[in-house]
Amino acid sequence: MNLQEFVIEFKDLHSDGQNQEEKFINAFCEYLEANELFTDFKLSYRSQLGIQANAYAYDRDHNKLIFIVADYENFHYGTSVSKTIIQKLYKRALKYIKKARTDLVNVIEEIAGDYPLAQLIYELDYEQTEIEVLILSNRIYKSNASVEIEVVEGKEIVYQIWDIERLFQLVNESQGVEAIEIDLTQLSQKSFSMLRVDESSNDFDCFVGYISGDTLATLYEQWGQRLIERNVRSFLQSRGKVNKGIKNTLRGEKEMFVAYNNGISTVAEEVEAEVSTDGRLYTINKIKGLQVVNGGQTTASLYYTKKDDKVDLSNVYIQIKLTVIKSREKMNMMTSKISEYANTQNKISDSDLKANHEALINLENLSRTTWVPSVSNLKSNNRWFFERARGQYLVDLSRETTPARKNEFKKVNPKSQLLSKTDVAKFYMSWTQYPHKVSDGGESNFKAFMELIDQSIVDIDTAFYKQLIAMAILFKKCDDLVKEAKYPGYKINIVTYTLAALSYGKGNQIDLMDIWSQQSVPEKWIYELARLLPITWEHINNPPVSGSNITSWCKKEECWLNYQEKLKTVKT
């Protein structure tokens, strides 16, 4: 898939119908979240009087705020955007931050979409908080020129620019299909020798040793994000505290790097090696399917330090563990466990860490083989498409070589039936009555979902999959009803609490398999959802302590427990 095709398909997939700008921003942010630029983003719209906000993500653990603004031009999708517009967006973001630091929270209504953001900026420890502006665009920033970084109340506010072309590059890198095959004899004049761990296994061989920083940087230069796709995240830029430390060590104490750094963990499909006479030392000549599953930040930082700062890495060394997984059947499971158990230097999102979890692999396989029931006498001709890794849909579509084949793919896999990992968690947790978990954000809710799956004795089989799709259909119908009702804010909270309320009151009467068979919600349950909406709205907007933040209130289990008590008094 080239850039032009990607732009067309991305627009078709994510920005049709109403609220096109919101759909674009939400989709763009989901891709960035899946690659660990941030976690648990929230849409937060305001555009007036020279200020603008579209979304944000706040990492309390690392005290970092990602402030997101967007350039969206529906009729100029994929065309060029000027530096002037990018600079203007950056300034509008800074003006919002300045306004929020003073009185914005006091002049907008509590039900305003950006009220939680304004309140957050007003109350946070500004001096200790790192703030970064992300500028998104559905156009192409061809000049790629820097804009001048400005200071707000003594704090330098850095930025990143993500246009549609950069997103295209990210999707291609993280979903590449070409196997990585490395000939180390051609790559470096230094031999790459490792000790083989004595304990042999039919499933894997394990080697330990060290690799030169120059070689590792060259590998990243050649393969980019592909080299760390099983690490399932992108380089976090050098502004993060860990990556700053890596670069500072390379600039000033590179001879100490091997002592200070934890090293990297890698997996591969196979190696070609020469063994020494004692049978333990191996000279690795070729590697197939190499992946850095822990240490992606080290790998990328080496490359960028060499590229940007012209640091000589020939005498920099990194510890490396190489696990050659012989069993194709166990590749995903073992890689997932290695990623999970290895010490990490930067936070990895739980949805990415669990991408190779057996339950998600089963869901992916079921989604490719389970067809939607036909409502006529004809055979089934479409299915739901579960993305175990963000971007699978677009990449699979790109593999179709003709317009006719692409159209057939879309017919078989309608974009309205596309599901992500966090979507599935949202649907399941709403129906199983954890609306406070869903309200806590995509990543937090996904973690809770995976914990439930791990703890339960539920089989991820065809019956479970069909019931899960029925939950998705119910959630989407409730979402439509909320849109039609035009509530001014808190949409996700209204939807998840309403669906949980329906499950709480009527769940034993609702046949999920019937919803699957019909691929629609029966009228009597649509009526029940509509009846519950104003009750939900009234409940979440009246926390026990007057003036409490509504978003925070919805995240508390107390909010759901109180709602259950209220539902007992409501006429059915």
Side-chain angles (χ1 to χ4, degrees), residues 5 395-407 409:
E5 291 170 332
V395 171
D396 285 357
L397 176 60
S398 74
R399 292 173 184 160
E400 305 300 340
T401 54
T402 66
R405 289 174 64 90
K406 289 181 186 295
N407 289 334
F409 178 90

Side-chain angles (χ1 to χ4, degrees), residues 13-247:
L13 184 62
H14 296 300
S15 57
D16 61 331
Q18 297 180 337
N19 301 317
Q20 294 184 10
E21 182 177 11
E22 180 180 314
K23 289 180 180 178
F24 162 76
I25 295 166
N26 188 70
F28 207 130
C29 287
E30 284 181 344
Y31 278 96
L32 297 182
E33 182 177 58
N35 283 272
E36 195 49 29
L37 223 71
F38 47 72
T39 58
D40 285 340
F41 74 91
K42 296 173 178 63
L43 298 180
S44 182
Y45 180 79
R46 180 166 296 275
S47 180
Q48 64 181 56
L49 302 174
I51 64 175
Q52 182 172 335
N54 292 100
Y56 71 98
Y58 180 54
D59 184 346
R60 293 187 183 278
D61 292 336
H62 296 88
N63 213 17
K64 181 174 181 178
L65 172 66
I66 301 290
F67 188 100
I68 301 167
V69 288
D71 160 59
Y72 180 81
E73 286 290 340
N74 185 45
F75 297 107
H76 300 283
Y77 230 104
T79 60
S80 178
V81 61
S82 69
K83 178 182 176 180
T84 301
I85 291 175
I86 296 296
Q87 181 85 51
K88 181 179 178 181
L89 282 166
Y90 176 61
K91 288 182 176 294
R92 287 171 67 87
L94 298 189
K95 287 181 180 178
Y96 184 101
I97 294 169
K98 291 176 184 176
K99 186 72 173 171
R101 289 290 299 147
T102 54
D103 64 346
L104 184 59
V105 72
N106 298 318
V107 298
I108 60 177
E109 296 183 1
E110 290 189 22
I111 57 173
D114 66 320
Y115 186 87
L117 172 60
Q119 186 178 42
L120 171 66
I121 295 174
Y122 184 75
E123 295 177 349
L124 58 72
D125 185 342
Y126 185 75
E127 185 176 338
Q128 298 300 318
T129 302
E130 182 182 357
I131 300 178
E132 181 175 52
V133 173
L134 254 62
I135 303 168
L136 313 183
S137 178
N138 69 334
R139 297 189 279 180
I140 300 172
Y141 189 39
K142 292 182 178 179
S143 73
N144 206 28
S146 300
V147 299
E148 185 178 348
I149 292 179
E150 296 189 18
V151 174
V152 176
E153 292 185 32
K155 181 185 295 294
E156 189 177 77
I157 308 295
V158 297
Y159 68 89
Q160 286 196 55
I161 301 168
W162 280 85
D163 64 357
I164 195 73
E165 183 177 27
R166 188 174 180 186
L167 180 63
F168 164 70
Q169 293 168 348
L170 177 65
V171 172
N172 267 3
E173 288 174 352
S174 61
Q175 288 294 321
V177 295
E178 179 188 3
I180 294 179
E181 296 189 11
I182 298 165
D183 186 342
L184 290 163
T185 62
Q186 300 295 319
L187 195 66
S188 173
Q189 294 181 348
K190 297 180 181 179
S191 62
F192 180 34
S193 298
M194 305 185 78
L195 287 173
R196 179 176 177 273
V197 177
D198 285 338
E199 292 296 325
S200 61
S201 168
N202 292 327
D203 294 329
F204 70 93
D205 284 321
C206 187
F207 301 86
V208 293
Y210 61 88
I211 187 172
S212 80
D214 195 58
T215 299
L216 193 54
T218 301
L219 288 174
Y220 189 84
E221 180 180 20
Q222 181 175 355
W223 295 100
Q225 187 72 15
R226 291 285 319 287
L227 190 66
I228 60 176
E229 65 184 359
R230 284 187 181 269
N231 190 285
V232 206
R233 66 181 183 192
S234 64
F235 180 55
L236 300 184
Q237 306 299 328
S238 61
R239 299 186 185 96
K241 293 180 181 178
V242 173
N243 294 327
K244 281 183 178 178
I246 291 173
K247 296 191 78 172

Side-chain angles (χ1 to χ4, degrees), residues 493-513:
N493 309 114
I494 302 171
V495 175
T496 187
Y497 270 87
T498 300
L499 192 56
L502 178 69
S503 174
Y504 177 78
K506 305 287 185 179
N508 60 347
Q509 303 173 37
I510 297 174
D511 186 347
L512 293 176
M513 294 304 284

